[in-house]
């Protein structure tokens, strides 16, 4: 199943993007909109909530998406709504059945919301290597539209239409993320006696490898088999391993310090 992702500067634009995908024949249960702009308190004032038993998700919400929420133009009434508490990001509004599945949010209510999407095989199509790009976009106050299509032509057309609607691609957002880190990482590597201009590609590969959900909080040796299988001999290279260690440092000292902070403060911390 092909994934389609568009990163928008506003929730309203993301809504319009989801509506465009519907006109291409992609059903609601294969579309989700994620936005950091609506807090749990604001949601609870409008829709009854059920507390989940498991940490990692704030409140799971079930009900119709109506005019009061301002999203009726994006997804049809009856779409599931959830407020996800994503570590390092904060509360995120997820509209659509697959919102809880994208970030692995737990709890019975989340499972009920995501269940149908998982039956469609969407879980296997979630590009877990890209999750850190989604997280960074949300920390920066941007909104995402994520969808899945089982037809390559529809997926290609959907990406084109989202781009025309003003969406940034994941590849562009990934490069923008690295540009923000580049100078600091270059200085660090040079201070270690390395040649960053020569080794940047492998260093960045290792840094991004540390962002994968299976690798977070684990050393290279802890996930040696996984890294070897995915990156081959590059995983044994010194620049890769140094980049991986710095990726773990980034997670610990930048992402983790944003837990529980208001969105504006968290974005400021990430940019520092």
């Amino acid at each position: 199943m092909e994934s389609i992702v568009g990163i928008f500067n506003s929730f309203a634009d993301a809504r319009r993007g989801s509506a465009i995908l519907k006109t291409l024949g992609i059903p609601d249960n294969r579309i989700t909109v994620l936005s950091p702009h609506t807090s749990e308190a604001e949601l609870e004032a409008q829709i009854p909530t059920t507390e989940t038993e498991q940490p990692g998700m704030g409140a799971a919400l079930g009900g119709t998406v109506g005019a009061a929420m301002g999203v009726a133009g994006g997804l049809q009434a009856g779409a599931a709504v959830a407020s996800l508490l994503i570590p390092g990001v904060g509360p995120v509004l997820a509209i659509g059945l697959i919102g809880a599945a994208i970030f692995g949010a737990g709890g019975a209510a989340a499972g009920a919301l995501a269940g149908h999407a998982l039956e469609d095989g969407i879980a296997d199509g979630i590009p877990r290597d890209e999750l850190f790009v989604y997280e960074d976009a949300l920390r920066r106050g941007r909104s995402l539209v994520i969808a899945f299509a089982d037809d390559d032509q529809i997926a290609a057309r959907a990406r084109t239409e989202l781009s025309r609607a003003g969406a940034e691609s994941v590849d562009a957002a990934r490069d923008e993320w690295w540009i923000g880190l580049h100078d600091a990482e270059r200085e660090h590597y040079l201070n270690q006696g390395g040649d960053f201009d020569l080794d940047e590609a492998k260093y960045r590969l290792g840094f991004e490898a540390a962002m994968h959900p299976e690798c977070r909080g684990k050393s290279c040796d802890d996930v040696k088999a996984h890294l070897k299988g995915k990156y081959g001999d590059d995983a044994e290279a010194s620049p890769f391993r140094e980049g991986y260690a710095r990726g773990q440092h980034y997670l610990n000292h930048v992402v983790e310090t944003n837990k529980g902070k208001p969105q504006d403060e968290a974005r400021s911390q990430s940019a520092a």
Side-chain angles (χ1 to χ4, degrees), residues 25-271:
I26 299 176
D28 278 330
N29 68 342
R30 292 187 178 181
I31 303 172
T32 194
V33 177
L34 302 171
S35 176
H37 298 298
T38 304
S39 69
E40 290 182 46
E42 291 171 321
L43 285 171
E44 288 171 0
Q46 299 180 58
I47 299 179
T49 67
T50 301
E51 294 298 327
T52 60
E53 298 177 356
Q54 197 168 334
M57 180 176 181
L61 311 176
T64 61
V65 179
M69 291 295 295
V71 297
L75 294 169
Q76 69 180 25
V81 181
S83 177
L84 310 179
L85 186 59
I86 301 174
V89 177
V92 171
L93 173 67
I95 305 172
L97 288 167
I98 58 177
I102 295 292
F103 289 96
L113 293 178
H116 185 65
L118 296 176
E119 290 172 8
D120 286 345
I122 287 175
D124 294 333
I126 294 174
R128 293 171 66 78
D129 288 347
E130 297 177 355
L131 290 184
F132 75 93
V133 182
Y134 305 166
E135 292 169 343
D136 184 67
L138 291 166
R139 273 195 300 274
R140 294 174 182 272
R142 308 180 77 185
S143 295
L144 287 79
V145 174
I146 303 173
F148 297 87
D150 49 18
D151 184 299
D152 292 347
Q153 291 184 335
I154 292 178
R157 186 180 173 193
R159 294 187 188 103
T160 298
E161 293 301 323
L162 287 183
S163 178
R164 288 176 179 171
E168 181 179 44
S169 69
V170 170
D171 287 342
R174 185 194 296 259
D175 287 341
E176 181 181 344
W177 168 82
W178 181 248
I179 288 170
L181 297 169
H182 178 274
D183 290 349
E185 295 310 313
R186 185 177 189 276
E187 181 179 1
H188 168 80
Y189 196 67
L190 291 175
N191 288 339
Q192 302 301 310
D195 186 339
F196 194 75
D197 293 335
L198 179 65
D199 296 336
E200 181 180 358
K202 288 184 179 178
Y203 182 94
R204 177 179 173 179
L205 197 64
F207 198 108
E208 292 189 4
M211 302 295 105
H212 193 285
E214 291 183 14
C215 297
R216 295 185 181 191
K218 301 176 182 178
S219 70
C220 275
D221 292 336
D222 290 337
V223 289
K224 184 176 182 179
H226 167 79
L227 295 176
K228 180 70 173 179
K230 187 170 181 61
Y231 301 103
D233 291 340
D234 284 342
E236 300 291 338
S238 178
F240 181 99
R241 294 177 68 89
E242 180 64 24
Y244 184 94
R246 285 290 288 180
Q248 295 294 339
H249 172 84
Y250 169 83
L251 288 170
N252 290 333
H253 293 86
V254 178
V255 177
E256 294 300 315
T257 56
N258 290 332
K259 285 184 178 180
K261 291 185 178 180
Q263 289 296 321
D264 288 344
E265 185 180 349
R267 288 195 294 274
S268 176
Q269 176 77 28
S270 297

